[in-house]
Amino acid sequence: MSSPNAALPGAPHLARDAQGRLMLEGCDLDALARQHGTPLYVYSSASIAGALAAYQRGLAGQPHLLCYAVKANSNLGVLRLLAGLGAGFDIVSRGELERVLTVTGGDASRVVFSGVGKTAQDMQRALEVGVACFNVESEAELELLAQVAAGCGHVAPVSLRINPHVDPKTHPYISTGLKSNKFGIAHDRALAVYQRASQLPGLRVVGIDCHIGSQITQSDPFLEALDRLLDLVDALAQAGIAIHHVDIGGGLGIQYADETPPAADALLRQVIERLHARGHGSKSLWLEPGRSLVGNAGVLLTQVQYVKPGETKNFCIVDAAMNDLLRPALYEAWMQITECVAPPASAPRQRMDVVGPVCESGDWLGRERDLAVQAGDTLAVLSAGAYGMVMASNYNTRARAAEVLVKGDGHRVVRRREQLADLWAHELPLE
Ligand SMILES: *Cc1c(COP(=O)(O)O)cnc(C)c1O
């Protein structure tokens, strides 16, 4: 898998220089690891900007709102970059709302609020700052939102998240549009719930939305979901309920290994074509991409601690673990792992499992990888920009990693490494 010329799947601004050193844009990753320590997340501004530009190209000429799904990578540096490039935001908590307000100077007019468990307090705050839309996920939530809005003299713009019963053909843990999921309102209840919404004071029906899953590598599930939404839009029009925007959620996949997801602009051409073909070309098209904007932009750097021959297999024990990067342990996700400095062609490769120091057998980052490494070397786990740092924990009382954003040959630390004392700062020892 990982020869000195290892494939560097997905990442557009990652390459080896003539000396075999792995560079992200103009920055030497091994040097960044040595300067800032490991584990270290590093993101490429150019990759994020390039991924956003593909969406913007696809949307040109169509009324739209592109909302980056903050949960994929919520670092303020990343949010600031995206806000500066014109993105809106999809949030799923009050914490994410406050992060966004920090980078937009308090402007929530391009924010959509998703999530199945919004509290009255969440709603109140979102109404005060004026989010663009609440994506409502249940009838009970709709009633509470109406009550909260009426109580504070606001009108809540609402969309109903419809469960379109489309199979996204992805991992069951990240598939959200099937009948058995906790998300959304059943397609056959939708008309009745919209009728209720249109009668409740404190609410203004503005849109319809769905989000069918994540890491989707085909166009068809998106087009099928759009068709299911448009069927409802037609039925709603007949019932006298006008829909202003159609939000098809996020979920476009990225390349971790040999996946071949459609390019965002190509997918959007198909989506917009379908929208027009069905007579809804004047509707605003809203999107909530997360992974596809940041996933391929990031790497996790980690240092080899030990190379340990085992009884049946060899282990490469590194200083990053499942608490830093959960995807392999949680989804058995395959992520490319490669040496930051290419070993000499003559160096013997060994097949090994790349594992962390956490006391769990599930603590692995990669299995059966062919690497030529020794203690002290830096490895890069690729395509770690989405659902990496945001899922990090302090399990085993491990401090969370630092984060760096590179631009050209410059870089900025956008999150300092946690100090150990931070980890128990909120604890109250018994006297
Ligand atoms: C997670 C999520 C997204 C983003 O999904 P990606 O697969 O990262 O694009 C968008 N919308 C909602 C409601 C989500 O929960």
Side-chain angles (χ1 to χ4, degrees), residues 69 71-72 90 92 114-115 137 161 211 213-215 249-252 288-292 387:
K71 76 175 192 281
D90 172 62
V92 292
S114 300
E137 301 223 13
R161 175 169 174 178
H211 172 70
S214 201
Q215 187 52 19
L252 179 59
E288 305 163 357
R291 186 192 312 268
S292 53
Y387 305 108

Side-chain angles (χ1 to χ4, degrees), residues 251-373:
L252 179 59
I254 62 170
Q255 192 182 10
Y256 288 100
D258 51 6
E259 301 89 341
T260 52
D265 47 351
L267 172 64
L268 283 169
R269 268 195 296 279
Q270 288 182 281
V271 166
I272 290 169
E273 196 174 292
R274 183 71 57 97
L275 203 55
H276 284 253
R278 297 227 13 201
H280 294 290
S282 64
K283 298 240 167 9
S284 188
L285 177 62
W286 292 18
L287 296 151
E288 305 163 357
R291 186 192 312 268
S292 53
L293 289 179
V294 294
N296 284 142
V299 297
L300 172 62
L301 303 182
T302 183
Q303 190 180 55
V304 177
Q305 300 305 299
Y306 301 103
V307 174
K308 176 177 172 178
E311 286 179 45
T312 58
K313 52 164 67 170
N314 301 313
F315 294 98
C316 173
I317 302 173
V318 298
D319 68 357
M322 64 188 287
N323 76 294
D324 300 298
L325 181 62
L326 190 58
R327 298 189 66 257
L330 185 61
Y331 312 123
E332 300 201 328
W334 190 95
M335 301 173 76
Q336 173 70 304
I337 300 176
T338 190
E339 299 91 348
C340 282
V341 179
S346 59
R349 294 188 166 273
Q350 283 186 62
R351 179 149 299 183
M352 37 197 169
D353 283 8
V354 180
V355 302
V358 162
C359 301
E360 296 279 350
S361 296
D363 179 28
W364 54 275
L365 297 178
R367 286 177 166 156
E368 306 201 346
R369 305 304 173 90
D370 294 331
L371 296 165
V373 286

Side-chain angles (χ1 to χ4, degrees), residues 121-143:
Q121 213 185 355
D122 296 339
M123 293 169 176
Q124 178 107 29
R125 177 67 176 149
L127 285 164
E128 274 165 25
V129 299
V131 298
C133 190
F134 288 86
N135 287 352
V136 171
E137 301 223 13
S138 66
E139 301 177 46
E141 181 191 336
L142 192 73
E143 300 291 332

Side-chain angles (χ1 to χ4, degrees), residues 101-264:
L101 295 173
T102 303
V103 303
T104 62
D107 179 7
S109 64
R110 296 158 69 72
V111 171
V112 301
F113 196 170
S114 300
V116 291
K118 301 175 195 82
T119 65
Q121 213 185 355
D122 296 339
M123 293 169 176
Q124 178 107 29
R125 177 67 176 149
L127 285 164
E128 274 165 25
V129 299
V131 298
C133 190
F134 288 86
N135 287 352
V136 171
E137 301 223 13
S138 66
E139 301 177 46
E141 181 191 336
L142 192 73
E143 300 291 332
L144 180 62
L145 181 58
Q147 213 179 313
V148 172
C152 62
H154 287 283
V155 175
V158 298
S159 161
L160 298 187
R161 175 169 174 178
I162 303 304
N163 193 333
H165 307 157
V166 167
D167 184 355
K169 304 182 181 81
T170 183
H171 191 286
Y173 283 17
I174 49 178
S175 150
T176 53
L178 295 168
K179 285 192 181 178
S180 53
N181 289 123
K182 71 176 174 183
F183 301 101
I185 292 168
H187 196 273
D188 48 18
R189 285 285 306 150
L191 187 55
V193 183
Y194 267 108
Q195 274 164 337
R196 176 76 180 142
S198 65
Q199 287 155 6
L200 283 169
L203 302 183
R204 186 173 76 252
V205 170
V206 293
I208 189 166
D209 68 282
C210 69
H211 172 70
I212 55 174
S214 201
Q215 187 52 19
I216 300 166
T217 53
Q218 301 167 27
S219 303
D220 292 354
F222 291 104
L223 297 170
E224 275 178 48
L226 175 64
D227 271 332
R228 297 288 74 75
L229 292 189
L230 294 179
D231 293 346
L232 276 174
V233 173
D234 291 336
L236 289 168
Q238 291 203 335
I241 299 171
I243 295 295
H244 158 267
H245 74 257
V246 178
D247 177 348
I248 61 168
L252 179 59
I254 62 170
Q255 192 182 10
Y256 288 100
D258 51 6
E259 301 89 341
T260 52

